Amino acid sequence: MIFPDRVSAGKILGEYIKDKIDRKLNPIVLGIPRGGVIVAKEVAKVLDLPMSLLIVRKLGVPQNPELAFGAIDPDGELYIDKRTVEYFKISQEDIRKVASEELSKIRERQKLFLKGGAPDVTDREVIVVDDGIATGYTVIAGVSFVKRKGAVKVIVASPVCPADTLGKIREYADEVYCYHISEEPGFAVGMFYKDFRQVEDKEVVELLNNGVL
């Protein structure tokens, strides 16, 4: 399964979960920046729901920042992959340093993207959307965060994810919907998109200014 781009993937995903939403729970779609925001926008349009952002960040291995050893949420809570930390011998000092840097980036993006403040999710159903899920820690951080903020039900929706990550996410989310479940070794989200260009902050700001919230 190869998606043409994030817009197409979002439309497909929105149709896929259309009958899974509980309208009585005042649902809202939350996209994980940056790529997940484009997918979330299309999901929200298909579902005719309000949309906002869920700003969580992965924690990158110091020797290879693209490889995650966990994630951090806006409250500074850490979600650590102990096996990766042990394998790369990441020290507690390195963990604190990376976490501090990523929390600063969360604060910057909150100011840039959420000028009206984060949405109130109390007693609501939240649909957490990303453009793809790899290790799952960023999504887990997001799910845990919105539950702590009072969400009564959290759904995770993504166009693609590896089969071995699904079980991990199901331990945290109430429901998980992945349109394409991959068994391929060496999983990378970009493998499943024809156009997987990097999304810039400017594009996210423009999208928000176009009245998607």
Side-chain angles (χ1 to χ4, degrees):
M1 175 78 201
I2 304 293
F3 300 100
D5 52 28
R6 292 181 178 91
V7 170
S8 300
K11 291 176 179 175
I12 291 169
L13 184 62
E15 293 293 341
Y16 182 59
I17 67 171
K18 210 170 187 178
D19 62 346
K20 317 294 186 187
I21 307 305
D22 188 343
R23 303 276 172 179
K24 296 189 295 294
L25 294 177
N26 191 20
I28 184 171
V29 176
L30 298 184
I32 296 179
R34 292 179 241 159
V37 180
I38 295 176
V39 178
K41 174 187 175 183
E42 299 304 321
V43 169
K45 284 163 67 176
V46 170
L47 300 178
D48 191 25
L49 291 177
M51 175 200 154
S52 187
L53 308 189
L54 178 53
I55 306 176
V56 288
R57 298 280 298 180
K58 76 177 179 183
L59 302 173
V61 173
Q63 308 94 303
N64 182 7
E66 289 303 309
L67 179 64
F69 69 83
I72 185 169
D73 72 19
D75 286 340
E77 292 288 328
L78 302 183
Y79 306 81
I80 301 295
D81 181 349
K82 293 179 182 177
R83 284 171 53 188
T84 300
V85 167
E86 289 170 3
Y87 181 83
F88 286 97
K89 297 180 172 58
I90 304 170
S91 68
Q92 289 300 309
E93 183 180 347
D94 281 338
I95 291 173
R96 283 192 293 271
K97 182 181 177 184
V98 173
S100 176
E101 290 170 353
E102 295 303 329
L103 186 58
S104 293
K105 291 176 183 177
I106 288 176
R107 297 283 178 262
E108 290 170 6
R109 282 161 173 73
Q110 285 176 325
K111 290 177 183 175
L112 180 64
F113 298 145
L114 295 174
K115 292 183 173 63
D120 184 2
V121 298
T122 306
D123 296 330
R124 300 179 78 174
E125 178 178 84
V126 174
I127 302 102
V128 175
V129 175
D130 206 350
D131 55 6
I133 299 170
T135 64
Y137 279 93
T138 306
V139 167
I140 288 169
V143 169
S144 301
F145 177 74
V146 294
K147 282 197 169 185
R148 205 163 61 245
K149 298 303 177 185
V152 291
K153 182 178 180 182
V154 183
I155 293 173
V156 170
S158 176
V160 62
C161 58
D164 59 0
T165 299
L166 277 178
K168 189 172 18 175
I169 297 171
R170 286 186 177 125
E171 293 178 18
Y172 296 85
D174 297 293
E175 296 172 16
V176 182
Y177 298 105
C178 181
Y179 185 79
H180 177 67
I181 301 171
S182 172
E183 301 278 359
E184 292 188 38
F187 179 94
V189 174
M191 295 165 50
F192 301 91
Y193 284 87
K194 190 173 181 180
D195 174 7
F196 196 64
R197 63 187 173 76
Q198 183 169 319
V199 178
E200 302 296 335
D201 286 347
K202 180 181 176 183
E203 188 172 351
V204 176
V205 171
E206 288 174 353
L207 183 152
L208 298 177
N209 288 340
N210 286 336
V212 299
L213 296 181

